[in-house]
Amino acid sequence: METVNQLLASIQDVGRDAVRGGYSRAVYTTPERDLRQWFIEQAQQRGLEVQTDRNGIIWAWWGTPHDGALVTGSHLDSVPGGGAFDGPLGVASALAAVDILKTRGVQPPRSLAVTVFPEEEGSRFGVACLGSRLLTGAISVEKALNLRDINGDTFADIASANGLDPRHIGPDPEAMARIGDFVELHVEQGKGLGQDGPAIAVGSSILGHGRWKISVSGQGNHAGTTLMGDRADPMVAAAQIVLAIRDTAAKQQDARATVGRLTPVPGGTNVIASRVDLWLDARHPDDAVTAQLIEAIYRAAQDVAAGEGCTATLTEESYSDTVHFDAGLSRRITELLPGAPVLATGAGHDAGVLAGYVPSAMVFVRNPSGISHSPEEYVADEDASAGAVALADVLGGLL
């Protein structure tokens, strides 16, 4: 039996990013494919039956697959330069929980599956939780297949190159029927658990959140021959828009708005850009407020762009309403984990997508600094072990 810490140690060199630090494990790149194979091998070593479905979701079954199964798992892909725990902790903990249940002599009276969802972070194709969205039908197949990565490759092409048939990608009612309850363990990505007290918490809700692309168009030109007063520079406008986004969100309590990616076109040092694309991540617990926030940001972006002789357009790439996890399932989990606090989270998860279709819940493991999506993300060994035991307690109690 391998502990969760041993499982994580066995993949600690996969996908290390020498430039950004941390890990870069975008979906269907070599590091992520290596991790998928690692999971398959680990599951098979435990006698689990492994299947990969039409959407690239891996299912490892303990017992014969039946409708109404208990399902747990997470993801293995990462943001660029991400931490070691976001995603893999939940997968490794699920495997370790199976080991723990077996040592306890548990014979599951209902089917149990451990899953790995692809493209949870959306770091390659821009839509978070793409695998679970396809499974449930929360994204149209046409939109998904035509998503493009930074190299211009479509999701359809990349999926096909990795053994999936684009003709069969999309909603999977049979797979959905097999999920009776879904429980996802994840590293906590804020300071909710703090330095002291319990290492484990039960999730209550996920903030409504989405991603928007703002394109600022101006006049591309020569950096040396174009006088400052003759410019329509979208980079200058984009810089002001980033500040406007910060200031607009700061006026609204509990709002979060972030620009984490900005791309000038054509991107030459001695070239005034013709267009700058920037991506906005915005979140708020009230979906109506989120909509108002985006409207205010777009108005500000248009005004700023016009002031620089440019134009600005806004396109929604993905959006998820605020999610409240199944009350009955969450109550049962809190009873199985006495003393565990209940926490809301601002981070999106596959459990949040599934919550609109099947009873879903989350268990969080302490991240003492609260830093995530960063190489500094951290979980102490003893807390990771406590999380695996907690997950085993939950799964054993729900079986």
Side-chain angles (χ1 to χ4, degrees):
M1 181 179 79
E2 290 184 274
T3 68
V4 65
N5 299 308
Q6 289 171 327
L7 287 165
L8 290 172
S10 70
I11 59 172
Q12 65 183 350
D13 294 326
V14 180
R16 283 193 179 273
D17 193 318
V19 176
R20 301 181 182 95
Y23 297 89
S24 292
R25 299 160 166 168
V27 70
Y28 297 133
T29 59
T30 297
E32 197 261 358
R33 286 195 299 264
D34 289 346
L35 290 183
R36 290 168 66 87
Q37 185 59 38
W38 165 83
F39 172 75
I40 290 170
E41 292 171 358
Q42 288 290 334
Q44 291 173 337
Q45 288 174 20
R46 288 162 174 78
L48 307 182
E49 179 185 342
V50 180
Q51 303 169 349
T52 300
D53 70 14
R54 68 179 71 171
N55 295 305
I57 301 166
I58 307 174
W59 303 74
W61 289 94
W62 185 3
T64 303
H66 288 298
D67 288 357
L70 177 59
V71 182
T72 187
S74 194
H75 63 99
L76 292 169
D77 64 302
S78 77
V79 297
F85 301 94
D86 181 357
L89 178 66
V91 175
S93 296
L95 292 169
V98 168
D99 290 339
I100 293 169
L101 291 173
K102 287 186 174 183
T103 62
R104 293 175 181 176
V106 172
Q107 295 294 327
R110 65 192 283 207
S111 301
L112 186 149
V114 179
T115 55
V116 171
F117 289 93
E119 185 67 331
E120 192 271 353
E121 297 291 2
S123 59
R124 183 165 188 179
F125 292 101
V127 175
C129 301
L130 182 58
S132 53
R133 289 179 190 272
L134 285 166
L135 170 68
T136 59
I139 186 173
S140 76
V141 175
E142 181 181 7
K143 177 179 179 179
L145 292 179
N146 286 290
L147 293 170
R148 292 182 181 272
D149 65 12
I150 195 170
N151 297 316
D153 294 321
T154 66
F155 175 67
D157 289 340
I158 296 302
S160 179
N162 284 274
L164 303 181
D165 188 338
R167 297 172 299 176
H168 299 151
I169 286 173
D172 192 340
E174 291 183 1
M176 286 300 299
R178 289 183 174 178
I179 307 176
D181 299 291
F182 181 75
V183 180
E184 180 174 3
L185 180 143
H186 205 278
V187 60
E188 207 246 323
Q189 294 175 279
K191 297 181 179 180
L193 282 167
Q195 301 282 346
D196 303 310
I200 308 299
V202 179
S204 61
S205 61
I206 296 176
L207 287 183
H209 59 283
R211 298 180 184 188
W212 292 261
K213 179 182 178 181
I214 300 175
S215 291
V216 187
S217 298
Q219 177 60 63
N221 216 326
H222 194 292
T225 62
T226 309
L227 299 177
M228 301 305 289
D230 293 338
R231 301 183 178 204
D233 188 342
M235 183 65 82
V236 174
Q240 295 177 59
I241 289 170
V242 172
L243 295 175
I245 288 170
R246 180 199 63 181
D247 295 343
T248 303
K251 295 175 184 176
Q252 178 63 58
Q253 186 176 2
D254 293 329
R256 300 102 194 261
T258 306
V259 175
R261 178 181 165 202
L262 184 150
T263 303
V265 178
T269 302
N270 58 346
V271 179
I272 299 169
S274 59
R275 188 181 82 246
V276 175
D277 296 327
L278 56 94
W279 282 263
L280 165 68
D281 179 300
R283 309 179 187 225
H284 192 276
D286 186 325
D287 298 321
V289 174
T290 304
Q292 294 167 5
L293 177 65
I294 296 304
E295 290 178 6
I297 286 172
Y298 188 30
R299 287 196 301 269
Q302 289 178 308
D303 289 344
V304 166
E308 295 294 335
C310 300
T311 60
T313 60
L314 181 143
T315 304
E316 180 182 301
E317 293 197 334
S318 66
Y319 184 73
S320 298
D321 291 337
T322 293
V323 170
H324 296 278
F325 291 116
D326 185 83
L329 180 58
S330 296
R331 182 171 57 253
R332 292 171 67 190
I333 292 174
T334 57
E335 291 170 354
L336 292 165
L337 300 177
V342 177
L343 293 179
T345 181
H349 302 282
D350 290 305
V353 174
L354 293 175
Y357 304 86
V358 296
S360 301
M362 292 196 72
V363 174
F364 294 119
V365 178
R366 174 168 42 217
N367 175 5
S369 69
I371 295 173
S372 187
H373 282 187
S374 163
E376 298 170 70
E377 180 181 84
Y378 178 69
V379 175
D381 286 354
E382 58 269 26
D383 289 348
S385 297
V389 171
L391 182 59
D393 291 343
V394 168
L395 297 177
L398 294 177
L399 284 171

